[in-house]
Amino acid sequence: MEKVRIGIIGIGGMGTSHAKNIVAGKVPNAELTAVCDINAERLEWAKQSFGDRVQRFDQADAFFQSQAFDAVLVATTHYDHPGLAIQALNYGYHTLIEKPAGVYTKAVREMNEVAQQSDKVFAIMYNQRTNPVYQKLKDLIDSGELGDLKRSIWIITNWYRPQSYYDAGGWRATWSGEGGGVLLNQDPHQLDLWQWMYGMPKRVRAFMSFGKYHNIEVEDDVTAYVEYENGATGLFVTTTGEAPGTNRLEVSGDRGKVVIEDDKLTFWRLRVSEREFNREFKGGFGSPECWKCEIPTPGDNSQHIGIMNDWVNAILHGTKLIAPGVEGIKGLTISNAMHLSAWTDSWVDIPFDEDLFYEKLKERIDQSTFKKNVHNVTLDVSGTH
Amino acid sequence: MEKVRIGIIGIGGMGTSHAKNIVAGKVPNAELTAVCDINAERLEWAKQSFGDRVQRFDQADAFFQSQAFDAVLVATTHYDHPGLAIQALNYGYHTLIEKPAGVYTKAVREMNEVAQQSDKVFAIMYNQRTNPVYQKLKDLIDSGELGDLKRSIWIITNWYRPQSYYDAGGWRATWSGEGGGVLLNQDPHQLDLWQWMYGMPKRVRAFMSFGKYHNIEVEDDVTAYVEYENGATGLFVTTTGEAPGTNRLEVSGDRGKVVIEDDKLTFWRLRVSEREFNREFKGGFGSPECWKCEIPTPGDNSQHIGIMNDWVNAILHGTKLIAPGVEGIKGLTISNAMHLSAWTDSWVDIPFDEDLFYEKLKERIDQSTFKKNVHNVTLDVSGTH
């Protein structure tokens, strides 16, 4: 195989953006050979844009049976990610799914079981893992520079969305269409990065408002407190209702503190560890000597294009993936635990009861009386996700 | 009266600092005429330092009966603040109490009732209210520049204390001696400023660790989530176990966001309110025009000396107090609610059951098996509180 032939299923906002990038040559070892969508207008757009060199399908089964490609990019709505990934893998296609991995972990666990038995390359579009500042923070944590972790606070409130965003798609911000709000649509990257750098929490206590700032039925404001096995704590604060919002990650450990803000990483490094200072120092008032270090974070943030190239390289050359598809369940587990905690107004231990989560989600879908005032529009998402 | 004659009861760390400031002439319209302490060494220190122009007492009753002063500064351990303030006011002295107002609101409420029936000037050492950055933020909130409030996050984790700090006094960081840890000793200023600028929350959910980073029985790590009447939320994160720690206050409202960090106030001002933009904008992706404004905060932070002068001026000239003593109950109410929430692992509505709080505190005092390895030392607190 010289070039990987790619079929994209779902050419709404994100799928369209990926299709354009591939056709523009930004994934040199790949070519777009097919697209699939149930929306006739989107297929017409594909015909106008790409002509007949890209096959078009309006049904998933025909798409998968076509063998018009080697690899499938799944960019449909969230609920369909696990089912379509399972189909793709079972047909023998390499598979890349958009985030989130799915809406509830039960379905994602089934997808992972199929993926683990497949020899195909299975990846997820966690395109923030290519960001050098988060790679560097992971490096500082993994290499022990920060020492034992104490606290992590991520204020990620710069996902502002006005009402017209929600009005642009009938599936958006509904329990039946997305299965959640800001946690399912905007935050999967941060939830993944959080566990990627910091590990999984052992329990979660979350507080949410549903439709606080918008005419929607799902959450648009979340505050979540978590505890880790070693006693460290964490906070995750997010909303689509604040402008201008903040994206500030603070991580503290026994050997200092890191803050990432404005895409810049600063490390306040303690010369001796705090635990050691605490034991040894006899002066009453005092604190460990601390150096403010500006840490270089070289490299470009290649984002979606980086993840597509990484996937294609893994297919062609067997290289290790930046974002293996089976890891998609981790961020979703935190997300589901937050929802379950808010719905039950109580602590949720991880792992939680996946059947209970699904039951509670289903209740919300079944009891929804929400009718959207929809203007179906394919939003230009370039640079937003 | 030309000069206010002041008696200080309690010349440990803070009382000593105040005494020195008065004797050094930093409160020009006041003079120190008496001190009281149960510790003979501290009285000997006063004798060596001030000679016989400052009377010395080793019993509160004799001190109050002496009429050797017009006004009393109460700088004993926290538990005694309300009782001594009641005594001082009943004897007809103007009264300034150190923070916190007390340990439990029930006692502070009794103090406030006495104060409200007294014609004497009753103040509290909330010396951070003199800080121009917090005064400016209060101004921005009160004048409507920030619009309706949405969220407030105070990360105040720069109260680092090593074990030797706790070992320097037998009363420190015990349920019987202080009635709490970081919330009672270090945070009263921030808890007061928080409610002073932002108002009182209506309910609280807090998470604490007791003796997490130190050999103490009280809390040294706190994360608290609060909700306000208008739907706004808040977070208060504090510890004495992190170095270098952070002091960052973020407040967001319908018209923008303010961040105070490194004693600098930055206002991200929206040209139109977010609520209006949300209704009017039809473009899907987009956010209100935002101006980053560096707001001047002129003036010195006069701190303890400022509060003492303010109190003395109110006594001499009837001016309005920066920090009226009766307002001490507000920050303590939030503090008590946080403790009660952590102790009961549940929500606490404000106002809460004060008898229940006292009962739970009493349980901790009675069941304490904590024995401290104490080296009694009077710490030099200049510049620390």
Side-chain angles (χ1 to χ4, degrees):
Chain A
M1 198 189 310
E2 273 185 27
K3 277 204 171 189
V4 176
R5 295 173 305 151
I6 293 178
I8 298 180
I9 183 161
I11 47 168
M14 292 311 303
T16 296
S17 171
H18 300 324
K20 286 177 179 171
N21 282 330
I22 298 167
V23 169
K26 294 183 182 170
V27 189
N29 296 323
E31 58 185 329
L32 184 67
T33 55
V35 294
C36 179
D37 206 298
I38 49 173
N39 182 334
E41 282 177 37
R42 298 312 301 148
L43 291 176
E44 182 56 30
W45 169 85
K47 185 180 174 186
Q48 298 300 326
S49 304
F50 308 134
D52 285 335
R53 62 181 170 157
V54 174
Q55 292 187 47
R56 297 179 302 280
F57 299 89
D58 60 3
Q59 291 206 343
D61 285 343
F63 172 76
F64 285 122
Q65 282 157 17
S66 71
Q67 301 288 338
F69 39 82
D70 312 303
V72 172
L73 199 168
V74 178
T76 59
T77 52
H78 321 325
Y79 272 105
D80 293 331
H81 295 173
L84 292 173
I86 288 170
Q87 240 184 312
L89 289 163
N90 282 340
Y91 268 99
Y93 299 116
H94 303 287
T95 305
L96 170 60
I97 56 169
E98 257 298 337
K99 53 84 198 170
V103 172
Y104 49 98
T105 52
K106 209 175 157 172
V108 174
R109 198 172 297 286
E110 288 168 22
M111 172 178 77
N112 282 357
E113 282 162 14
V114 171
Q116 269 147 353
Q117 283 166 19
S118 161
D119 61 350
K120 299 300 164 189
V121 178
F122 177 47
I124 183 165
M125 189 59 88
Y126 276 152
N127 49 283
Q128 281 297 319
R129 287 198 187 186
T130 64
N131 190 327
V133 294
Y134 300 118
Q135 291 184 336
K136 182 61 76 177
L137 176 53
K138 182 170 168 61
D139 168 20
L140 294 177
I141 292 172
D142 290 350
S143 62
E145 290 283 353
L146 258 171
D148 288 343
L149 298 177
K150 291 180 174 178
R151 191 191 311 278
S152 168
I153 303 176
W154 204 331
I155 305 173
I156 172 70
T157 53
N158 69 344
W159 285 122
Y160 182 69
R161 296 288 183 269
Q163 185 63 39
S164 55
Y165 164 83
Y166 292 108
D167 292 343
W171 59 283
R172 267 189 216 281
T174 60
W175 294 118
S176 63
E178 286 203 273
V182 63
L183 287 179
L184 272 289
N185 192 307
Q186 282 79 27
D187 290 320
H189 296 301
Q190 284 76 32
L191 291 171
D192 172 60
L193 291 174
W194 210 27
Q195 70 76 26
W196 186 55
M197 296 181 290
Y198 216 81
M200 290 293 285
K202 67 166 188 176
R203 64 173 188 160
V204 174
R205 186 69 175 85
F207 312 95
M208 289 183 195
S209 292
F210 305 92
K212 183 176 189 175
Y213 296 115
H214 307 92
N215 183 26
I216 56 175
E217 64 183 2
V218 296
E219 83 285 354
D220 57 2
D221 189 27
V222 178
T223 303
Y225 169 78
V226 304
E227 293 179 348
Y228 298 89
E229 195 59 49
N230 78 337
T233 66
L235 277 171
F236 192 87
V237 183
T238 191
T239 183
T240 56
E242 274 174 41
T246 293
N247 182 0
R248 180 182 186 276
L249 173 61
E250 169 175 323
V251 176
S252 47
D254 184 32
R255 300 195 66 94
K257 177 178 80 168
V258 164
V259 173
I260 295 178
E261 195 169 9
D262 300 326
D263 242 358
K264 205 180 114 183
L265 188 154
T266 309
F267 179 22
W268 284 263
R269 178 179 185 274
L270 301 183
R271 195 163 179 187
V272 299
S273 84
E274 185 281 316
R275 295 289 73 199
E276 185 185 332
F277 183 87
N278 181 66
R279 278 192 308 274
E280 308 293 334
F281 180 71
K282 298 301 172 204
F285 289 104
S287 55
E289 184 177 329
C290 179
W291 302 348
K292 184 176 178 181
C293 311
E294 308 293 341
I295 307 285
T297 55
D300 291 329
N301 186 4
S302 56
Q303 297 255 26
H304 303 100
I305 293 164
I307 293 291
M308 284 195 285
N309 276 302
D310 182 66
W311 176 52
V312 165
N313 287 339
I315 294 169
L316 291 174
H317 312 299
T319 47
K320 200 161 173 259
L321 288 170
I322 293 170
V326 292
E327 293 185 14
I329 200 168
K330 294 183 180 179
L332 186 66
T333 296
I334 303 175
S335 169
N336 282 184
M338 287 177 182
H339 267 114
L340 192 55
S341 173
W343 290 338
T344 58
D345 196 17
S346 64
W347 286 105
V348 169
D349 291 327
I350 289 178
F352 55 82
D353 180 343
E354 293 185 341
D355 291 320
L356 178 66
F357 176 85
Y358 185 70
E359 186 189 306
K360 297 274 174 198
L361 173 62
K362 197 75 175 40
E363 275 173 28
R364 274 154 188 85
I365 294 170
D366 293 344
Q367 291 163 13
S368 172
T369 56
F370 196 77
K371 291 283 166 281
K372 289 190 84 171
N373 176 22
V374 174
H375 316 272
N376 270 306
V377 177
T378 301
L379 294 170
D380 178 5
V381 297
S382 47
T384 60
H385 290 265
Chain B
M1 198 190 309
E2 273 184 27
K3 278 203 172 192
V4 177
R5 296 174 305 152
I6 293 179
I8 297 181
I9 183 161
I11 47 170
M14 292 312 301
T16 296
S17 171
H18 300 324
K20 285 178 180 172
N21 282 329
I22 298 168
V23 169
K26 293 182 182 172
V27 189
N29 296 324
E31 58 185 330
L32 183 68
T33 55
V35 294
C36 179
D37 206 297
I38 49 172
N39 183 334
E41 283 177 36
R42 299 310 303 148
L43 292 176
E44 182 57 29
W45 169 86
K47 185 179 175 185
Q48 298 299 326
S49 305
F50 308 132
D52 285 335
R53 63 181 169 158
V54 174
Q55 293 186 47
R56 297 179 301 280
F57 298 89
D58 60 4
Q59 291 207 343
D61 285 343
F63 172 76
F64 285 121
Q65 282 158 17
S66 72
Q67 300 288 337
F69 40 82
D70 312 303
V72 172
L73 199 168
V74 178
T76 59
T77 53
H78 320 327
Y79 273 105
D80 292 332
H81 294 173
L84 292 172
I86 288 171
Q87 239 183 313
L89 289 163
N90 281 340
Y91 268 99
Y93 298 117
H94 303 287
T95 305
L96 170 61
I97 56 169
E98 256 298 337
K99 54 84 197 169
V103 172
Y104 50 98
T105 51
K106 210 175 156 171
V108 173
R109 199 172 296 286
E110 288 168 23
M111 172 179 77
N112 282 358
E113 281 161 15
V114 171
Q116 268 146 353
Q117 282 166 19
S118 161
D119 61 349
K120 300 301 165 189
V121 178
F122 177 46
I124 184 165
M125 190 59 88
Y126 277 150
N127 50 283
Q128 282 296 319
R129 287 197 186 186
T130 64
N131 190 327
V133 294
Y134 300 118
Q135 291 183 337
K136 182 61 75 175
L137 176 52
K138 182 170 169 59
D139 168 20
L140 294 177
I141 292 172
D142 291 350
S143 63
E145 290 284 353
L146 259 170
D148 289 342
L149 299 177
K150 291 181 173 178
R151 191 191 310 279
S152 168
I153 302 176
W154 204 331
I155 305 174
I156 173 71
T157 54
N158 69 343
W159 284 122
Y160 182 68
R161 296 289 183 268
Q163 185 63 40
S164 55
Y165 165 83
Y166 291 109
D167 292 342
W171 59 284
R172 267 188 217 281
T174 59
W175 294 118
S176 64
E178 286 203 273
V182 64
L183 287 178
L184 271 290
N185 192 308
Q186 282 78 28
D187 289 320
H189 295 301
Q190 284 77 30
L191 291 170
D192 172 61
L193 291 174
W194 210 27
Q195 70 75 27
W196 185 54
M197 297 181 290
Y198 216 81
M200 290 293 285
K202 68 167 188 176
R203 62 173 188 160
V204 174
R205 186 68 175 87
F207 312 96
M208 291 183 193
S209 291
F210 305 92
K212 183 177 189 174
Y213 296 115
H214 307 91
N215 183 27
I216 56 175
E217 64 183 1
V218 297
E219 83 285 353
D220 56 1
D221 189 27
V222 177
T223 303
Y225 169 78
V226 303
E227 293 178 349
Y228 298 88
E229 195 60 47
N230 78 337
T233 65
L235 276 171
F236 192 88
V237 183
T238 191
T239 183
T240 56
E242 274 174 42
T246 293
N247 182 0
R248 180 183 186 276
L249 173 61
E250 169 176 323
V251 175
S252 47
D254 184 32
R255 299 195 66 95
K257 178 178 80 168
V258 165
V259 172
I260 294 178
E261 194 168 9
D262 300 325
D263 243 357
K264 204 180 114 181
L265 188 153
T266 309
F267 179 22
W268 285 263
R269 180 179 184 274
L270 301 183
R271 196 163 177 187
V272 299
S273 85
E274 185 281 315
R275 296 286 74 198
E276 186 184 332
F277 182 88
N278 181 65
R279 278 193 309 273
E280 307 294 333
F281 180 71
K282 298 300 172 203
F285 290 103
S287 56
E289 185 177 329
C290 180
W291 303 347
K292 183 175 179 182
C293 310
E294 308 292 341
I295 306 286
T297 54
D300 292 329
N301 186 5
S302 56
Q303 298 254 26
H304 303 100
I305 293 163
I307 293 292
M308 284 194 286
N309 275 302
D310 183 65
W311 175 52
V312 165
N313 287 338
I315 294 168
L316 291 174
H317 312 298
T319 47
K320 201 162 171 259
L321 287 170
I322 293 171
V326 291
E327 293 185 13
I329 200 167
K330 294 182 178 179
L332 185 65
T333 296
I334 303 176
S335 168
N336 283 185
M338 288 177 180
H339 267 114
L340 193 55
S341 173
W343 290 337
T344 58
D345 196 16
S346 63
W347 287 105
V348 169
D349 291 326
I350 290 177
F352 54 83
D353 180 343
E354 295 185 340
D355 291 319
L356 178 66
F357 177 86
Y358 184 70
E359 185 189 306
K360 297 274 175 196
L361 173 62
K362 199 73 175 39
E363 276 172 29
R364 276 154 186 85
I365 295 169
D366 293 344
Q367 291 162 14
S368 171
T369 56
F370 197 77
K371 290 283 167 284
K372 290 190 81 170
N373 176 22
V374 175
H375 315 273
N376 271 304
V377 177
T378 301
L379 294 171
D380 178 3
V381 297
S382 46
T384 60
H385 289 269

